[in-house]
Structures are given as structure tokens and as C-alpha cells.
Amino acid sequence: MKTQQFKQLLKRYLDESASKAERYIVDIWYHSFDRDHSGIVPGIENSSIEYETGQRILSKIQTSNHRKGWYSWQTLRVACSILLISTVSLFFLLKPKDHSGQTAVIFKTLPGQTKKILLRDSSVVWLNANSTLEIAASYSEKNRSVKLSGEAYFEVTHDPQKPFFVAAGPLTTKVLGTTFNVRAYPASRFSKITLLTGKVWVTVKAPGKRTGGVILTPNQTLQYDLLSHHAKTQNKESSIDQKAWTTGKLIFDDTSMDEVKEILKESYGLNMQVISKKLNSRRISGEFRLDDQPEYIIKTLCKLIHAKYTINGKTIYIQSK
């Protein structure tokens, strides 16, 4: 969405001429900011115009949600700055129409970026690197449905009257209120859904058929092979490592080499090429920080599998010693 378009949208919001879908877009954009926004819009000075405009936006959102004291002055400055400064880049886009014919909100992250998104019903979504989340304009009014490409961790507010649906490729997850992680990158052969708490119902729509569904209980993972169209469930003692990336950790727990390649590509934009075929069967265990230098991670991984590496730009070549 271009900055000028968004400025016009905010103007309609303040003039009370915005449609219900447009009001929702402003609400979800405003709610998505964390409490600490220092540095999001650098170089913007306080002004009475910013303060007045911010107060008007805040007043309308508080009135519609009956939730006072939620936003900080930093958040007001962000809202006003985007309204007044035409050079600010927005972190979400508008898609002309969703499946219901209404405007949808789309959040995107780049490699190495994560984003915390607060939905209208107080559910929280952590969007991992190089991922896209599409939220229907009718979210929470008629249904609670989102569409994911990439990886996200969900903390869903319980509402037995409105189940929460996540569509990710051929997988659709239905929940009432729970915490779970979905990994479904388009370039990956495998899609995974891991349940941490509660219970979810997963259906798979394979070419020419649709499964009856699988119920997952805590610490279970459903893995779907997009090539063979085969789904299987796995049990673990704990699935807490599945949400480690939301706290800045990178954990490999008996992880296949193919998945290690995918994670390094999504997190750092690196293309890892394993030259020695026998290394492709190795599995990796280890813990890092997402802000660790990529070469440090590569060097450590090579020590674990007794390999050596060379770097050419964004491509890492791994081979046996």
C-alpha cells in the first residue's frame, strides 16, 4: 500500500467516512505495534499537530474497543508520523479482495526479520522470517480465518463460538484456543504443524482427495510431504523448542540437513550447498542465537559433522574433511 493511499485512509478514518473494512485495517495496523517503538520512525520531532492527530486516532480506537491505557506516546508518534511523512515504508500491504470479496490485510517479513501481530480478538501471531500472513477484513466479526505462507507461532484466544482457522498450502488447522507452530514454506518439501498446548484438528487437501482430519494433542507434530502427499504424526517429550525462534533462539534438535539448509536460507538469506553426499544424511543438534554471525553458526555446524566450508557471497559450500 502506497504512503499516499494510507494517508487518505487515515483521513477517512478520522472523518468517520471510512468503511467497516477500512476501519479494521487501521485498527489492526495500530494494534500490531509493540509497546517500545523507539527507532521505527527516526528523526521525527514532537509537534502539536502530531499529538492532536494521534490523540484522535487513539480516542477512536479506544472507543471501539473499550480498552484504555493500551498505547504509549511512542505509538502515537508512529501513527502520526506515517500520516504526515510520505517517505515512511509501511510493513503491510493491502490485497484488493480476499475470498469473501472484502479487502484483506497482508503482513510480510524479509529474511532475518520476525514480527509480532496482535489480532482484534487479542490472539497473537509471531511471524517468522520470509513469511506472509493474510488476514480477512471480516476477521472476528464473522469468522477467525488467516492464510499463511512461511512460518508462524500462534497464541489463539479461546472462543468456542468462533473457531480459529489457519490455511497453509494443503493444510488447514482448526482450533478453539491453543498455542501451536505452523511451518509451511512454499519451497520446502515438508510442511509441519506442532501443538504446544490445547488441541487442534488438521485436514489435508491433497490433489484429488481430502483426508478426514487428524487430531493433534500437546507435543505432537504433523508432517506432510508435498511430493508423496503422505502425512504422519510424531511425538516428542517437549515441543518448546518449536517456539524458540520467537525469543531469538535458533535450536536444532536432531534436525535433518535439508531442514538446516531451509532455516539458514530463511533466517539469513544463505544458500548452503552440501558437496559431499554422505553429509546429507547427517542430523544436527545445537543451540544458537538468531543474532549470532552466520559464519559462526556455519563453522560450529561443520565442527559437529566433521566438515569444512568455503564461502562465496551468499553461498556456503560444505564438504567432508
Side-chain angles (χ1 to χ4, degrees):
M1 186 181 192
K2 295 181 179 179
T3 304
Q4 186 61 36
Q5 291 177 302
F6 192 70
K7 289 165 65 178
Q8 294 172 356
L9 172 59
L10 284 183
K11 185 177 184 299
R12 291 195 298 274
Y13 186 94
L14 294 172
D15 293 342
E16 299 185 352
S17 61
S19 66
K20 181 180 292 186
E22 289 176 329
R23 292 198 303 273
Y24 174 61
I25 290 167
V26 176
D27 287 349
I28 196 170
W29 162 75
Y30 206 79
H31 287 180
S32 68
F33 287 107
D34 297 332
R35 291 179 182 270
D36 182 10
H37 301 282
S38 57
I40 291 182
V41 187
I44 304 301
E45 301 297 330
N46 293 346
S47 73
S48 59
I49 297 177
E50 288 181 8
Y51 182 78
E52 180 182 354
T53 307
Q55 288 289 355
R56 290 172 65 192
I57 295 174
L58 176 57
S59 175
K60 291 180 182 297
I61 293 177
Q62 286 180 332
T63 299
S64 63
N65 290 284
H66 305 288
R67 297 175 66 182
K68 296 184 178 180
W70 182 264
Y71 304 102
S72 66
W73 165 240
Q74 287 284 1
T75 310
L76 294 179
R77 290 187 61 196
V78 171
C80 302
S81 299
I82 291 182
L83 175 64
L84 298 172
I85 307 300
S86 62
T87 58
V88 175
S89 297
L90 302 180
F91 58 80
F92 73 81
L93 307 172
L94 290 186
K95 187 176 181 179
K97 300 291 180 181
D98 64 8
H99 65 277
S100 66
Q102 295 180 297
T103 303
V105 180
I106 300 178
F107 289 88
K108 290 179 178 287
T109 54
L110 298 175
Q113 294 181 329
T114 59
K115 179 65 187 173
K116 181 181 179 181
I117 303 166
L118 177 64
L119 302 182
R120 174 174 279 185
D121 63 344
S122 296
S123 295
V124 177
V125 182
W126 288 88
L127 193 62
N128 206 353
N130 203 24
S131 300
T132 302
L133 183 73
E134 180 180 323
I135 306 170
S138 59
Y139 182 90
S140 86
E141 294 178 359
K142 298 179 180 179
N143 61 69
R144 298 195 296 169
S145 298
V146 301
K147 185 182 295 183
L148 172 69
S149 175
E151 183 171 15
Y153 173 73
F154 297 85
E155 297 176 352
V156 179
T157 301
H158 184 73
D159 186 345
Q161 303 303 318
K162 296 178 183 177
F164 187 97
F165 293 91
V166 180
L171 303 180
T172 298
T173 306
K174 175 184 177 181
V175 305
L176 296 178
T178 185
T179 59
F180 60 103
N181 193 82
V182 178
R183 181 176 176 85
Y185 284 99
S188 176
R189 175 178 174 177
F190 298 99
S191 294
K192 291 183 178 181
I193 298 173
T194 302
L195 183 66
L196 281 76
T197 63
K199 185 181 293 185
V200 300
W201 176 265
V202 183
T203 56
V204 182
K205 187 177 182 181
K209 62 179 180 179
R210 187 181 183 92
T211 67
V214 177
I215 295 177
L216 295 183
T217 55
N219 299 323
Q220 278 192 322
T221 295
L222 181 141
Q223 178 174 281
Y224 179 72
D225 189 328
L226 278 77
L227 293 183
S228 67
H229 307 296
H230 175 70
K232 66 177 181 179
T233 57
Q234 301 169 320
N235 294 282
K236 296 183 65 176
E237 291 185 5
S238 174
S239 297
I240 193 65
D241 60 302
Q242 294 296 311
K243 61 172 291 188
W245 60 267
T246 66
T247 59
K249 295 180 180 179
L250 178 60
I251 297 179
F252 298 117
D253 183 14
D254 196 35
T255 306
S256 70
M257 189 62 72
D258 284 341
E259 189 170 347
V260 170
K261 294 178 189 177
E262 293 173 7
I263 292 173
L264 292 178
K265 185 174 182 62
E266 305 302 342
S267 299
Y268 303 101
L270 298 176
N271 180 24
M272 191 170 85
Q273 300 288 334
V274 180
I275 299 175
S276 303
K277 292 184 178 180
K278 65 178 183 180
L279 294 178
N280 279 315
S281 62
R282 299 296 298 270
R283 304 189 73 86
I284 303 295
S285 294
E287 181 174 333
F288 303 91
R289 295 287 306 176
L290 284 170
D291 56 6
D292 285 339
Q293 290 296 320
E295 188 170 357
Y296 165 74
I297 296 176
I298 295 295
K299 184 177 181 179
T300 304
L301 293 179
C302 284
K303 285 183 178 180
L304 292 173
I305 60 176
H306 305 291
K308 59 183 179 180
Y309 69 95
T310 56
I311 301 177
N312 184 7
K314 286 285 187 178
T315 302
I316 312 294
Y317 298 95
I318 308 292
Q319 58 185 336
S320 299
K321 286 185 176 180

